[in-house]
Amino acid sequence: MASLPDASANVKLGKAFASSRDSLRQDMEGGGGGAEGLNTVTSNGQLFPTPSRLDDGHDGDLLTAIEDRDLQRGLAQRHLSMLGIAGSIGTGLFLGLGFAVQTGGPLGALLGYAAIGLVVCAVQFALGEVAALLPVTGSFVRHAEFLVDPALGFAIGWNLVYGNMLSIPSEITAICVLFQFWTDINSAVFIVVFIVLTVGVGLTLVRVFGEVEFVFALLKILLVVFLVIMGLIINLGGVPGTERIGFRYWQDPGPFVEYIAAGDWGKFLGFWSVMTGAVFSFAGVESLAMAAAETRNPRRAIPRACKRVFARIIIFYMLAVLIVGMLVASNDPRLDGSGDNVAQSPFVIAASAAGIPGIASAVNAIVITSAWSASNQSLLAGTRVLYGLALKGQAPKVFLRTTSWGTPYMCVGLFTCFMFLSFMSLSKDAITVFWWLVRLTSAGVLVSWSSILFNHIRLRQALRRQNIPASRLPWQNWWTVYSSPAALVMCIVILFTSGFSVFTKDNWDPATFVSAYLDIPIVLIAYLSWKFLRRTKIVSLDEIALKDAFEQAEQYVEEPEGKKKGWIRAVSWIWD
């Protein structure tokens, strides 16, 4: 068994992590169920000092006694990598790409996704550096409390809960759109079925959840590879009876689409309009660290997953965007469901045009499972953030209740209530509701990415102020000092311009304006309200307890990593 870490260091670090302890004490009193005895034994055999019942979750180790006792470390590094892939390959890729090509043109869509891909790169590496040092449930939400201000952690946390609450019905609404490819059965049937399935997976063991999403992620990767190969075959005239397309659609209607305005300015606006959909498409990659307290060897697994997921997602998305731009014309009415057409995935459009029997239906079916998988991932991320908020006294303590197998079932129950927002598609065109939810979700994602980047900037500033070399970080990269500020500026600019179309002549639309900008006042009100009520202060760079965090990180004993044998070694490159 590992030696007992210094108790005073852990207590001091816990105090720093919850600097508003005195104001939060009343919220937690009597809640959470403190640990009985002096120590909590972690899954790898380490002992952590457990404070009194009143302080449980506030003054203890960075990994608080409550989460270490009530949650189970059931996620391995392969689960994290595939969770990141599963969460980000959903309707944003399979359905949203059609809108990107339609408004930006094939080249505009490719450039737009490339720009957001660079931002995602910066976000992933920033998250990996901070989460490797501070692997806690809630990830960057609790990092914001430790590195910036408890009020910011409160605001970002509830914003993330709200964003994931909307992300799930957006995926279910997209499923309704996709089912219209086959049938005109009332969408309520599909909504109920997928709500039940999502809740069922959300209540299982986290390890079972990880295995389910692991399989789904493999299916998605195989689907993307298949679609890219199929797209190339169709494009090059490899299907009997079809002619070679090549880059025909890059010539006519053209590589860019004029959006709202004419000329080069209109083409730029078309390119910029791709940004919001691209953000939604990449949403989910940042949530792989949300369940850090349920992850084995988090200081090794999280950085590895951040690095691997980024590389694979960029490759998949760039190839997919390129192929879609070659297969479908930007003026195809089936991309947005105009007239008598139902909105379809561009891949389904291409397969139908090629006349390949059964391919269109098979692709549509796997796209539907991908949407469901993305909703599962949003449920995991959102419920763990809500649990983390309750842990710090920033949400009702009822959300600390877990099943005997470690699932926060009250958190799942709250998210279930918001899944019924997908019934909005019954009274309004489903694709319209889908894009409302996309804009709402994208704004929340941009706020989350901004928080991750700002947390990282604060961490690096604190390291310099306290004369601690960055080389002591469990994982660090020299370029993140430059990439984080640049990506933060980009996120803020996209956030404030995401609804630019409503400010142009004759294009005012209240629903679009609200869905694009509602998140900004929500976050500001949450931040200022908690700051006023609890009188929190921005943490001084000198007072951030980094030395204690490093001491704890260096005392952490990782479980040994077994060597892969047999056939698994041939495919493990996907996640390792």
Side-chain angles (χ1 to χ4, degrees):
M1 181 174 291
S3 61
L4 183 68
D6 180 70
S8 63
N10 284 322
V11 169
K12 184 165 63 174
L13 181 56
K15 289 179 179 178
F17 202 93
S19 60
S20 56
R21 167 179 175 268
D22 292 337
S23 61
L24 295 178
R25 182 186 294 269
Q26 297 177 359
D27 296 331
M28 290 295 292
E29 189 165 6
E36 304 294 336
L38 298 178
N39 298 301
T40 296
V41 182
T42 66
S43 60
N44 65 2
Q46 276 190 284
L47 286 173
F48 286 127
T50 300
S52 66
R53 185 175 189 276
L54 178 66
D55 294 331
D56 199 0
H58 285 285
D59 285 351
D61 184 75
L62 247 179
L63 174 62
T64 62
I66 293 176
E67 61 191 304
D68 193 58
R69 181 185 66 247
D70 293 346
L71 303 178
Q72 296 185 7
R73 290 192 181 276
L75 296 177
Q77 187 267 322
R78 64 182 178 90
H79 292 133
L80 290 189
S81 294
M82 299 305 263
L83 277 173
I85 295 173
S88 56
I89 299 180
T91 51
L93 174 62
F94 298 121
L95 188 61
L97 280 187
F99 176 80
V101 172
Q102 184 184 51
T103 58
L107 182 54
L110 188 64
L111 293 175
Y113 272 78
I116 298 300
L118 291 175
V119 173
V120 171
C121 175
V123 170
Q124 286 292 88
F125 280 79
L127 175 62
E129 288 191 11
V130 181
L133 179 65
L134 309 171
V136 290
T137 295
S139 186
F140 57 89
V141 175
R142 307 230 333 248
H143 298 160
E145 179 180 344
F146 179 62
L147 296 167
V148 186
D149 187 340
L152 182 62
F154 173 82
I156 296 299
W158 277 106
N159 177 73
L160 197 61
V161 169
Y162 150 84
N164 280 286
M165 283 177 174
L166 295 177
S167 180
I168 299 173
S170 72
E171 299 290 351
I172 295 176
T173 299
I175 290 172
C176 295
V177 174
L178 295 167
F179 264 108
Q180 292 173 3
F181 175 72
W182 294 307
T183 179
D184 57 359
I185 294 177
N186 195 311
S187 296
V189 176
F190 306 118
I191 292 172
V192 171
V193 168
F194 280 92
I195 286 177
V196 171
L197 290 173
T198 302
V199 173
V201 173
L203 289 174
T204 61
L205 283 162
V206 71
R207 187 174 185 278
V208 173
F209 176 92
E211 295 296 349
V212 169
E213 288 304 295
F214 181 83
V215 173
F216 273 130
L218 281 176
L219 288 175
K220 290 180 182 183
I221 292 171
L222 292 175
L223 173 61
V224 173
V225 172
F226 168 75
L227 291 176
V228 169
I229 295 173
M230 181 193 74
L232 285 173
I233 292 174
I234 294 174
N235 184 267
L236 297 174
V239 178
T242 62
E243 60 179 339
R244 182 179 182 277
I245 302 174
F247 284 89
R248 178 188 307 169
Y249 299 130
W250 287 55
Q251 302 296 324
D252 182 24
F256 291 97
V257 171
E258 293 180 354
Y259 183 64
I260 296 178
D264 291 340
W265 177 240
K267 293 176 182 178
F268 173 79
L269 292 181
F271 152 74
W272 197 258
S273 68
V274 173
M275 296 298 185
T276 300
V279 169
F280 177 78
S281 297
F282 284 110
V285 293
E286 76 283 354
S287 58
L288 56 83
M290 282 300 166
E294 297 168 87
T295 302
R296 296 194 293 271
N297 301 328
R299 289 185 171 91
R300 180 179 65 208
I302 292 174
R304 185 183 295 178
C306 287
K307 184 167 56 177
R308 267 60 168 184
V309 167
F310 159 73
R312 285 146 184 76
I313 291 297
I314 292 298
I315 292 172
F316 294 148
Y317 268 94
M318 291 301 100
L319 285 175
V321 175
L322 177 62
I323 293 298
V324 167
M326 294 167 62
L327 289 176
V328 184
S330 58
N331 56 2
D332 192 315
R334 289 172 294 180
L335 292 175
D336 66 350
S338 59
D340 296 327
N341 294 295
V342 173
Q344 298 175 18
S345 165
F347 296 107
V348 174
I349 294 173
S352 300
I356 308 175
I359 288 293
S361 292
V363 170
N364 207 56
I366 301 178
V367 170
I368 287 172
T369 64
S370 298
W372 176 41
S373 170
S375 69
N376 290 338
Q377 194 270 350
S378 294
L379 182 62
L380 175 73
T383 53
R384 271 46 179 186
V385 172
L386 182 55
Y387 181 91
L389 289 170
L391 196 67
K392 307 306 296 181
Q394 296 174 336
K397 58 182 177 290
V398 68
F399 293 117
L400 289 174
R401 296 181 182 178
T402 60
T403 62
S404 59
W405 55 88
T407 299
Y409 67 90
M410 291 302 295
C411 297
V412 174
L414 178 64
F415 272 72
T416 302
C417 297
F418 283 84
M419 292 181 196
F420 292 97
L421 285 175
S422 48
F423 281 99
M424 287 169 37
S425 60
L426 301 181
S427 59
K428 189 73 175 176
D429 181 39
I431 195 66
T432 301
V433 174
F434 171 72
W435 283 110
W436 286 347
L437 294 170
V438 164
R439 281 187 288 268
L440 285 166
T441 304
S442 296
V445 170
L446 287 168
V447 171
S448 296
W449 289 357
S450 298
S451 174
I452 291 170
L453 295 164
F454 190 55
N455 290 342
H456 178 259
I457 292 170
R458 289 276 297 180
L459 173 63
R460 288 302 191 118
Q461 289 177 335
L463 288 174
R464 288 195 296 270
R465 179 69 64 85
Q466 299 180 27
N467 295 316
I468 300 175
S471 58
R472 286 190 64 189
L473 288 169
W475 188 57
Q476 62 93 22
N477 304 276
W478 65 266
W479 65 82
T480 55
V481 177
Y482 309 101
S483 61
S484 289
L488 178 60
V489 172
M490 188 71 171
C491 285
I492 295 173
V493 171
I494 296 173
L495 177 63
F496 280 95
T497 59
S498 60
F500 73 88
S501 62
V502 300
F503 300 111
T504 58
K505 186 177 181 180
D506 299 325
N507 285 307
W508 171 255
D509 179 40
T512 300
F513 174 79
V514 171
S515 61
Y517 295 111
L518 177 63
D519 202 60
I520 297 175
I522 286 178
V523 173
L524 288 176
I525 291 172
Y527 174 76
L528 294 175
S529 298
W530 192 258
K531 196 168 188 64
F532 174 76
L533 291 173
R534 300 300 183 183
R535 302 187 186 282
T536 64
K537 296 180 180 179
I538 295 176
V539 183
S540 168
L541 294 175
D542 294 308
E543 295 176 357
I544 297 175
L546 289 181
K547 293 182 180 178
D548 299 307
F550 279 109
E551 181 179 343
Q552 183 181 327
E554 290 161 0
Q555 290 174 335
Y556 182 84
V557 180
E558 293 186 342
E559 299 175 7
E561 187 175 24
K563 293 184 178 180
K564 298 177 178 62
K565 300 180 180 179
W567 66 270
I568 196 69
R569 293 183 62 184
V571 296
S572 62
W573 63 269
I574 297 174
W575 58 83
D576 280 343

